[in-house]
């Protein structure tokens, strides 16, 4: 589980400031990408009109439509290519990431215990290790999670394993103590909840009568009706003077000048929303999606139109079950990974939390109608 109990978990987490694959990674020379279509379609906001229903509290209607998923931007990584035509049906989406205040209500109502609050099981941990890996001393198998620790100065950031310089396994870290046992969330009630694993996010969504978005739904929503723009706000470069999102400013991973006002998470709704009324679809914290993650997912869809893709049936990481995350975080930097782009993808083991990863649920019209019917029946 969580990757770095005495070095073991650091081997498998795939957890870096943004992504385990540096932004400079280019496609292999022997890979040929088929075009998505003869002409690239613009995003169409001509999907379903908003249902004639009271809107779910705290959610906005995403109309669905046809769009070009993925990116050919110079900063795009191999797993973001090729752009391909996708159609998604309309759905509701939380206008913000789930906050500490809301997650606390879930825990209070259900008694739920997150993965980071549980002792790792040795058998489960070793099942994710290559054969012959020596087991750790059981004395270190205690509840905890990963924390980000800035380096003392400039370091290499584009070689495999470099991320181990700024990530540390810290016992006593969980959603209530996101930066370690000496931290807390007092005064951070409106900040996004972090240190929740994929399974924790799914449990929250089920309690709320919602679900996680697919990668396709997430990207359509993030683009806000803009066709193939590099950022959720359009084509303007990231501005330090007038920040569009909560990202790393300065030199990663040792100096964050925090001109946007936040070294870590920011309260939801701090930065302007996109055209669909969604806040923090770039930066702040990564957001879990329902899809298993594979590097070649987009190549498998090349040259054809796909409706409501659910992602691949399994991950391509045999020793760890990786799920997709989208959106980037406060640790994303333009010279390191620039993963605050709407096309950027990341993967992490489904049982790993992090101080820069949260959740934003969605709900279909059918799910909302069922909930309204249940609530009405309960009143009667």
């Amino acid at each position: 589980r969580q990757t770095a109990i005495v070095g073991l978990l650091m081997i498998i987490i795939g957890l870096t400031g943004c992504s385990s694959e540096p932004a400079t990674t280019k496609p292999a020379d022997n890979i040929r990408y088929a075009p998505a279509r003869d002409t690239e379609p613009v995003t169409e906001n001509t999907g379903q009109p908003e249902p004639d229903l009271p809107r779910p509290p705290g959610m906005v209607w995403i109309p669905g439509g046809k769009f070009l998923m993925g990116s050919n931007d110079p900063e795009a990584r191999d797993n973001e290519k090729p752009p391909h035509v996708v159609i998604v049906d309309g759905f509701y989406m939380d206008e913000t990431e789930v906050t500490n205040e809301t997650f606390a209500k879930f825990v209070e109502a259900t008694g739920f215990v997150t993965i980071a609050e549980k002792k790792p099981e040795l058998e489960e941990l070793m099942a994710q290790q290559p054969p012959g890996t020596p087991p750790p001393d059981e004395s270190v198998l205690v509840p905890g999670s990963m924390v980000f620790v800035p380096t003392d100065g400039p370091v290499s950031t584009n070689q495999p394993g470099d991320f181990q310089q700024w990530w540390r396994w810290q016992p006593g870290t969980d959603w209530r103590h996101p930066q370690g046992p000496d931290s807390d969330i007092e005064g951070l009630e409106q900040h996004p909840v972090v240190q929740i694993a994929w399974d924790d996010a799914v449990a929250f969504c089920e309690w709320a009568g919602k679900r996680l978005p697919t990668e396709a739904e997430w990207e359509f929503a993030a683009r806000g009706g803009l066709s193939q723009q590099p950022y959720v706000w359009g084509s303007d470069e990231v501005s330090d003077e007038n920040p569009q999102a909560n990202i790393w400013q300065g030199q990663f991973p040792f100096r964050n000048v925090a001109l946007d006002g936040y070294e870590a998470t920011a309260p939801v709704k701090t930065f302007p929303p996109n055209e669909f009324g969604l806040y923090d679809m770039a930066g702040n914290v990564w957001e879990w999606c329902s899809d298993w993650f594979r590097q070649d997912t987009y190549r498998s869809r090349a040259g054809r139109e796909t409706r409501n893709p659910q992602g691949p049936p399994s991950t391509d990481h045999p020793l760890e079950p990786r799920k997709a995350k989208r959106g980037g975080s406060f640790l994303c930097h333009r010279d390191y990974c620039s993963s605050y782009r709407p096309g950027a993808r990341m993967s992490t083991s489904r049982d790993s939390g992090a101080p820069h990863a949260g959740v934003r649920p969605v709900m279909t019209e059918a799910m909302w109608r069922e909930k309204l019917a249940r609530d009405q029946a309960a009143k009667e």
Side-chain angles (χ1 to χ4, degrees):
R1 194 189 80 183
Q2 294 278 0
T3 36
I5 300 175
V6 192
L8 282 180
L9 293 176
M10 285 294 282
I11 298 172
I12 64 171
I13 195 164
L15 179 69
T16 73
C18 288
S19 169
S20 57
E21 185 179 18
T24 54
T25 298
K26 301 297 182 184
D29 292 337
N30 62 346
I31 295 178
R32 292 181 178 273
Y33 294 106
R37 302 281 283 185
D38 292 334
T39 58
E40 295 188 354
V42 298
T43 303
E44 298 175 3
N45 301 328
T46 56
Q48 300 95 317
E50 182 166 357
D52 186 18
L53 297 168
R55 183 176 286 185
M59 305 189 85
V60 298
W61 175 250
I62 309 300
K66 180 185 295 187
F67 77 114
L68 202 59
M69 186 175 181
S71 175
N72 270 326
D73 292 343
E75 296 176 320
R77 292 183 287 276
D78 186 8
N79 64 43
E80 300 171 38
K81 301 175 181 179
H84 53 287
V85 180
V86 169
I87 300 172
V88 294
D89 294 335
F91 58 97
Y92 296 101
M93 190 175 213
D94 277 16
E95 62 180 347
T96 72
E97 296 144 339
V98 173
T99 64
N100 284 312
E101 180 180 67
T102 301
F103 196 79
K105 293 177 180 177
F106 158 60
V107 171
E108 181 180 359
T110 64
F112 185 81
V113 179
T114 63
I115 289 179
E117 297 172 278
K118 301 175 182 177
K119 176 184 175 181
E121 296 295 333
L122 180 60
E123 295 78 8
E124 180 184 357
L125 174 65
M126 296 310 298
Q128 299 182 39
Q129 307 306 315
T133 301
D137 189 309
E138 290 206 39
S139 65
V140 304
L141 297 179
V142 296
S145 190
M146 305 297 294
V147 296
F148 173 82
V149 181
T151 59
D152 293 332
V155 295
S156 170
T157 60
N158 60 5
Q159 298 300 316
D162 280 346
F163 63 88
Q164 297 184 44
Q165 299 171 96
W166 53 84
W167 284 110
R168 177 184 302 165
W169 169 264
Q170 180 61 60
T173 301
D174 53 50
W175 73 274
R176 292 186 180 90
H177 310 91
Q179 303 296 333
D182 295 331
S183 66
D184 57 48
I185 55 173
E186 184 177 354
L188 305 180
E189 290 80 6
Q190 294 307 307
H191 285 236
V193 65
V194 295
Q195 295 294 4
I196 55 172
W198 186 87
D199 293 285
D200 303 329
V202 168
F204 171 85
C205 289
E206 291 177 349
W207 171 78
K210 305 175 184 180
R211 62 168 172 81
L212 292 178
T214 64
E215 282 198 85
E217 289 171 333
W218 191 97
E219 187 169 327
F220 182 90
R223 291 189 179 279
L226 302 178
S227 178
Q228 284 290 287
Q229 293 298 311
Y231 308 110
V232 302
W233 55 83
S235 59
D236 292 343
E237 289 295 326
V238 177
S239 170
D240 285 337
E241 293 72 26
N242 186 28
Q244 301 99 326
N246 179 20
I247 61 174
W248 184 284
Q249 296 167 299
Q251 293 176 272
F252 186 86
F254 71 97
R255 187 173 70 93
N256 187 354
V257 295
L259 296 178
D260 56 16
Y262 301 95
E263 291 190 11
T265 58
V268 297
K269 296 189 177 183
T270 296
F271 298 88
N274 72 359
E275 292 299 316
F276 284 157
L278 299 168
Y279 294 85
D280 295 316
M281 295 301 280
N284 216 16
V285 300
W286 287 95
E287 300 172 10
W288 285 110
C289 291
S290 61
D291 305 40
W292 290 109
F293 183 89
R294 290 185 63 91
Q295 293 283 344
D296 61 358
T297 296
Y298 290 7
R299 276 171 279 176
S300 71
R301 301 178 190 160
R304 59 190 176 91
E305 189 171 279
T306 307
R307 190 180 191 103
N308 296 323
Q310 301 299 300
S314 62
T315 180
D316 54 3
H317 291 75
L319 293 178
E320 53 174 324
R322 288 196 180 193
K323 289 288 187 174
K325 288 178 178 175
R326 304 298 294 262
S329 79
F330 63 84
L331 291 178
C332 285
H333 185 262
R334 70 183 74 184
D335 294 332
Y336 174 52
C337 73
S338 65
S339 286
Y340 40 80
R341 296 173 295 105
R345 306 173 68 217
M346 178 190 176
S347 68
T348 303
S349 173
R350 64 183 287 177
D351 53 8
S352 295
H356 64 336
V359 58
R360 183 193 303 262
V362 299
M363 177 189 292
T364 64
E365 177 185 349
M367 294 171 70
W368 180 225
R369 287 186 181 277
E370 289 173 6
K371 189 175 188 308
L372 289 173
R374 289 196 303 270
D375 290 348
Q376 183 61 36
K379 291 179 181 179
E380 297 174 353

